[in-house]
Amino acid sequence: MQQVTLLFIGTTEIVFILFVVVMLFGADKIPDIARGLGKGMRMLRDASNDIKTEITKSAEANGLDTGVTKDVQDELNKVKDDLEDFTGSVRRKL
C-alpha cells in the first residue's frame, strides 16, 4: 500500500497535526483559523498578480522579450494549482 505524501508530509503526520490543532484551538475556532488562512493566501495571490502585471508592463514598455515571463507564469500557475489542491483537501477534512 502506497501512502500519500504532500509537501514531504505523510497522511499520518497530517492527521496528527490536525489532532494537535483541534486540541490547542478547539473545534469552534478552526473555521476562523481556516478563514484567516484563506484571506492571507488570497492577499498573497493578489499581491503576486499585481507584481507580475507591473513587471510585464514595464518589460513591454522597455521593449524586452516577455516570452520568458510566460514560462515563469506557467510554473507559478502549477504551484498555485498544487496549493489550491492542498487547501481544498484541508477544507474537506475540516
Side-chain angles (χ1 to χ4, degrees), residues 27-39:
D28 56 333
K29 298 288 182 187
I30 292 177
D32 294 333
I33 294 169
R35 198 172 300 118
L37 286 173
K39 286 180 183 178

Side-chain angles (χ1 to χ4, degrees), residues 2-94:
Q2 184 178 358
Q3 240 185 352
V4 176
T5 56
L6 183 64
L7 298 174
F8 306 108
I9 299 175
T11 306
T12 54
E13 288 89 359
I14 291 174
V15 171
F16 180 73
I17 290 169
L18 289 175
F19 176 74
V20 170
V21 167
V22 169
M23 295 303 292
L24 287 176
F25 298 107
D28 56 333
K29 298 288 182 187
I30 292 177
D32 294 333
I33 294 169
R35 198 172 300 118
L37 286 173
K39 286 180 183 178
M41 289 184 346
R42 179 175 298 270
M43 288 173 57
L44 180 64
R45 181 176 42 193
D46 291 344
S48 66
N49 285 338
D50 290 344
I51 291 169
K52 287 186 288 189
T53 302
E54 289 299 319
I55 290 173
T56 303
K57 283 181 183 178
S58 66
E60 289 174 353
N62 291 322
L64 297 174
D65 180 26
T66 58
V68 175
T69 59
K70 173 102 172 89
D71 296 335
V72 172
Q73 179 68 33
D74 292 341
E75 289 299 318
L76 287 173
N77 286 336
K78 288 179 188 176
V79 171
K80 183 178 83 170
D81 291 341
D82 291 341
L83 183 62
E84 287 176 355
D85 289 343
F86 173 70
T87 57
S89 66
V90 170
R91 287 181 195 149
R92 284 190 292 269
K93 288 182 182 181
L94 296 178

